[in-house]
Amino acid sequence: MIQKVRGYIFSRPFMGERVPQHVQNLVIRDYCDRHNLQYLLSATEYAMTGSHLMLEQVLNELPDLDGVVAYSLFQLPEDPLQRQRIYDKTIELNKKFYFAVEGLQMGNSNECDRIETLWQIRQTLPNCLVLG
């Protein structure tokens, strides 16, 4: 049985990256094709800094879907408590959250820990010294 997943993309930069919406959709579509997922059109996050209203809408749809495919895991909220709420809801509903660019998926606590570790590394990198 093919799993139905909703795409999730950004209309603003995230973590210092700016990727055109059509490119994000192409990457998600390719990811879904390679993983035998039925791609439903992407929800596009609002451009306002810190907004995750469309992500909330997608999470509300989750009971009727098999999962969500985000362009990148770095499109999750920067606040760790908000991310944890997303992890908890995904696990509670026995769904999957896929991250196309990173080629990762999240659906259990071990995978959530891995995603959170990657988040913490990415947030720390700008504060690291570069030795030449």
Side-chain angles (χ1 to χ4, degrees), residues 12-62:
R12 66 175 185 263
F14 56 95
M15 298 293 275
E17 305 288 329
R18 181 159 191 87
V19 181
Q21 291 178 37
H22 74 280
V23 172
Q24 294 178 59
N25 278 316
L26 286 170
V27 169
I28 290 173
R29 186 179 310 276
D30 178 67
Y31 181 89
C32 290
D33 287 346
R34 288 185 290 113
H35 292 88
N36 201 29
L37 300 170
Q38 182 183 350
Y39 169 60
L40 304 175
L41 293 178
S42 293
T44 305
E45 193 56 72
Y46 293 110
M48 292 101 54
T49 303
S51 173
H52 286 90
L53 294 172
M54 294 308 295
L55 179 56
E56 290 298 323
Q57 182 177 333
V58 171
L59 292 172
N60 288 338
E61 273 186 79
L62 210 47

Side-chain angles (χ1 to χ4, degrees), residues 6-10 12-19 23-25 27-28 31 42-43 45 52 55 68-78 83 86-87 97-106 115 118-119 122:
R6 172 77 59 210
Y8 177 68
I9 63 171
F10 261 31
R12 66 175 185 263
F14 56 95
M15 298 293 275
E17 305 288 329
R18 181 159 191 87
V19 181
V23 172
Q24 294 178 59
N25 278 316
V27 169
I28 290 173
Y31 181 89
S42 293
E45 193 56 72
H52 286 90
L55 179 56
V68 178
V69 182
Y71 171 76
S72 173
L73 69 93
F74 299 111
Q75 292 173 323
L76 291 172
E78 290 189 29
R83 286 196 306 275
I86 293 166
Y87 304 154
F97 210 119
Y98 303 92
F99 305 100
V101 167
E102 294 84 10
L104 297 173
Q105 67 178 4
M106 175 186 73
I115 298 299
L118 291 171
W119 248 96
R122 179 68 187 260

